[in-house]
Amino acid sequence: SRRSAASVGSEKPIVGEAIWAQTKNRLFGKTLGKVRVPDEAAIDGASSPNNPCASDFDCVLQGLHQIKTSILMTPVLPTKKQLVAACPPGKDCTPSAVVDTTHDGSTTNQSPGLCYNAPYYYAKDCIASGVSPNANASIAKPRIVKGKTCEDMGYDRWPAFYADPFYGWANNVSLFVHAGAMAVFEWVHFSSVLGSCEPCVSSLLLEGWGRQWRKKNPQCAR
């Protein structure tokens, strides 16, 4: 929720800017010359993630803006009313988490120690099911914990990625690392994992930050 993000608002903003710079560099690092790299003014001026994208590039701007503002602890988050409206009829939208059962507290390529918050049906159909390239790259052996959030289980509230538009902003799918004092390093590692994953980079930067992925996976489009 917004309260979750705001509760870490006293963290060092200069550190947040540095983490954002590292995140952006890792996401675009292997795409130089292949992908249009937006400047900060374009990212800061992105339309609200609650608005439909006019193009794939507009969706990329929305995604980058959301991850940047999450790192800077100022993300725009869906309201309770928007969360309820996003839940498809007949689906179980109990707040739940997807964790990596291989995570042992260390940072490894196989186990970045990520946790995803998502409605239960979305966690089951779109995160733990294997259809998301980003989730596949970041969680080796997913397990759904129904009725608990990543915050409930002690995952760090910062740095984190709140309401990732890749999965539909109103679904409030959010990403957290669990590394205590090493959270910043774990976050940078996660960025490197995504930047080194060709299907991830493609789905994020070439295909509208999940816009095309959601079209290919209609069960994840709501």
Side-chain angles (χ1 to χ4, degrees):
S1 68
R2 179 178 294 276
R3 184 178 302 170
S4 298
S7 68
V8 294
S10 61
E11 294 283 354
K12 311 172 186 65
I14 295 176
V15 174
E17 291 283 0
I19 294 172
W20 161 241
Q22 291 277 356
T23 301
K24 186 179 177 184
N25 286 341
R26 279 162 172 74
L27 286 177
F28 284 94
K30 294 191 176 182
T31 66
L32 294 180
K34 302 177 183 178
V35 176
R36 178 181 172 188
V37 181
D39 58 29
E40 292 301 307
I43 294 171
D44 292 341
S47 61
S48 169
N50 191 37
N51 296 330
C53 305
S55 67
D56 282 353
F57 186 69
D58 286 340
C59 284
V60 171
L61 291 178
Q62 284 185 351
L64 292 171
H65 183 268
Q66 190 71 6
I67 195 170
K68 178 179 181 178
T69 55
S70 292
I71 292 171
L72 297 181
M73 296 154 287
T74 58
V76 175
L77 302 178
T79 64
K80 289 184 178 180
K81 184 177 180 179
Q82 288 170 322
L83 290 172
V84 171
C87 183
K91 294 291 187 180
D92 186 345
C93 291
T94 302
S96 301
V98 181
V99 297
D100 190 344
T101 59
T102 64
H103 181 58
D104 60 0
S106 63
T107 299
T108 68
N109 287 334
Q110 291 74 34
S111 178
L114 267 188
C115 178
Y116 283 82
N117 275 350
Y120 176 72
Y121 91 91
Y122 205 95
K124 179 169 62 74
D125 295 344
C126 307
I127 306 297
S129 62
V131 299
S132 166
N134 305 329
N136 286 347
S138 55
I139 293 186
K141 293 185 179 179
R143 177 173 64 90
I144 301 173
V145 183
K146 186 176 181 180
K148 284 192 175 183
T149 67
C150 301
E151 298 100 316
D152 292 337
M153 294 183 288
Y155 282 78
D156 288 350
R157 296 170 186 262
W158 182 87
F161 187 4
Y162 292 90
D164 183 358
F166 185 95
Y167 300 103
W169 173 79
N171 287 316
N172 201 28
V173 176
S174 303
L175 292 75
F176 302 82
V177 295
H178 192 194
M182 297 294 289
V184 169
F185 298 98
E186 192 77 6
W187 177 266
V188 172
H189 172 74
F190 160 64
S191 303
S192 297
V193 168
L194 287 189
S196 299
C197 165
E198 185 174 340
C200 304
V201 171
S202 179
S203 67
L204 290 165
L205 305 180
L206 296 175
E207 300 175 1
W209 204 273
R211 188 186 191 204
Q212 300 303 323
W213 175 80
R214 292 191 301 276
K215 290 180 180 179
K216 296 173 187 174
N217 297 277
Q219 76 276 20
C220 307
R222 183 64 181 262

